[in-house]
Amino acid sequence: MSTLVLDKVSRWFGNVVAVNDVTMTIGPGVTGLLGPNGAGKTTLMAMMSGFLPPSSGSVTLNGEPVWRHTDAYPLLGLVPERELSFGYLTGRQFVRANADLHRLPDAAEATERVLGVVDMVEPAGRRLDTYSKGMRQRVKIAAALVHDPTVLLLDEPFNGVDPRQRMQLMELLRRLGDEGRTVLFSSHILEEVERLARHIEVVVSGRHAASGDFGAIRRLMTDRPVRYSMSSSDDRALAAVLMSRAAVTAVALRHPTGLEVQVSDLGTFASELPSLARTHGVTLFDLSPSDDSLESVFSYLVDR
């Protein structure tokens, strides 16, 4: 079993700070690294896998630094987000090349074994440029697993993968986590993380926003103040009614029509609104969240 520890890690490129003072521990099992695009997830994974040194702080694997520590590399497997650039190779050749780079004495046997793990034995003789997105993802995972690492890092592994292939990949990662491996995958999609990982690390704008059990963090996200845009047959009457409700913290009239409403208890607001409108003879024309983006969710967590 292996554990990755990031201690006050920062990384900057010139005047741009990509990761800012991040501390987290990634242990055995499946962990989700959740954050919007541009949050610093790829930079974090590059430092965890030894491809990039931290500008400050430390990244260690089982107590030893990862950067320029060659004994750590056999324990690590990385599945990058970027597409494969070796389309002229077959899947088997690509995985075998990674086995040879690790100087495995049983490279041919290891290649066939890991192709079986990802269910790619049959199409392994085809060129990579003939593969679907899901098949390319599985071959990348096979290449990362060929040397039997205890840590597997996957950067946005479900991007562009169809629903059936996504389910297959999720089941594979669950199986690897159940074997005692340390599996970390990044995603900007909340539902992907919810389906696969119970423990999550949340990053936004290069900062560590939250850490822990998914259920607890999801409740924080759900309970945050939410803003809605509304329009109705009588905006002023509706505004007066809403201001009397404990779940509503602010109401503003828009020009020329409509309302902006901020609520602190989404569940109560959602259940009360239809009956309130009906009781006061107001017809609702439109109701939509005005800040329901990952950026707004994560910014709320950072500011807590």
Side-chain angles (χ1 to χ4, degrees):
M1 293 187 179
S2 295
T3 301
L4 274 166
V5 176
L6 286 72
D7 184 22
K8 298 181 179 178
V9 169
S10 296
R11 175 69 201 192
W12 49 82
F13 301 90
N15 294 326
V16 177
V17 179
V19 172
N20 185 14
D21 197 32
V22 170
T23 296
M24 65 175 67
T25 299
I26 311 297
V30 181
T31 299
L33 182 63
L34 178 65
N37 292 326
K41 302 187 300 294
T42 297
T43 301
L44 281 170
M45 286 205 167
M47 289 189 286
M48 292 182 201
S49 57
F51 280 98
L52 192 66
S55 300
S56 66
S58 64
V59 180
T60 59
L61 176 60
N62 299 331
E64 298 291 336
V66 174
W67 175 246
R68 290 184 174 174
H69 184 63
T70 55
D71 289 345
Y73 298 157
L75 303 178
L76 292 161
L78 175 66
V79 181
E81 181 183 12
R82 65 180 179 275
E83 281 294 335
L84 296 171
S85 56
F86 306 99
Y88 54 87
L89 295 178
T90 66
R92 180 172 285 106
Q93 288 170 336
F94 177 71
V95 177
R96 174 62 186 269
N98 281 270
D100 290 339
L101 285 172
H102 283 279
R103 299 179 180 176
L104 300 184
D106 57 344
E109 181 182 337
T111 297
E112 295 306 313
R113 173 185 57 79
V114 80
L115 285 171
V117 168
V118 300
D119 195 24
M120 284 291 290
V121 173
E122 184 175 345
R126 289 168 43 192
R127 286 169 50 123
L128 295 174
D129 56 12
T130 69
Y131 283 180
S132 68
K133 174 72 173 183
M135 294 168 71
R136 292 196 298 273
Q137 290 294 82
R138 285 195 305 222
V139 163
K140 285 196 290 185
I141 293 173
L145 287 174
V146 72
H147 59 293
D148 199 27
T150 57
V151 178
L152 184 63
L153 307 172
L154 306 100
D155 193 4
E156 296 279 1
F158 307 113
N159 267 1
V161 177
D162 67 43
R164 181 180 61 84
Q165 293 170 331
R166 183 178 289 108
M167 289 180 61
Q168 291 174 340
L169 288 177
M170 285 185 175
E171 180 55 38
L172 172 60
L173 296 189
R174 285 193 196 97
R175 201 161 67 239
L176 294 171
D178 290 343
E179 292 174 2
R181 299 179 199 261
T182 297
V183 179
L184 176 70
F185 75 98
S186 68
S187 177
H188 62 281
I189 300 175
L190 193 62
E191 286 70 21
E192 287 181 351
V193 178
E194 183 175 20
R195 291 176 61 184
L196 184 55
R198 293 314 305 167
H199 184 89
I200 67 171
E201 303 289 342
V202 183
V203 293
V204 59
S205 300
R207 297 173 60 194
H208 195 196
S211 173
D213 174 77
F214 183 88
I217 293 175
R218 182 64 185 257
R219 284 191 293 274
L220 280 176
M221 293 177 174
T222 303
D223 293 342
R224 79 191 195 283
V226 179
R227 292 183 177 85
Y228 282 93
S229 296
M230 304 173 59
S231 61
S232 70
S233 59
D234 191 338
D235 293 334
R236 291 184 178 275
L238 182 59
V241 172
L242 291 176
M243 279 305 298
S244 68
R245 312 310 300 176
V248 177
T249 57
V251 178
L253 289 168
R254 288 192 321 224
H255 180 77
T257 61
L259 299 171
E260 292 290 337
V261 182
Q262 179 172 294
V263 303
S264 59
D265 186 336
L266 179 58
T268 300
F269 173 74
S271 63
E272 288 182 349
L273 181 61
S275 60
L276 284 173
R278 184 169 55 252
T279 300
H280 292 83
V282 177
T283 302
L284 295 174
F285 295 144
D286 178 69
L287 173 66
S288 59
S290 58
D291 66 345
D292 197 26
S293 65
L294 279 176
E295 286 80 359
S296 69
V297 173
F298 297 156
S299 294
Y300 170 69
L301 292 176
V302 168
D303 293 337
R304 284 183 62 84

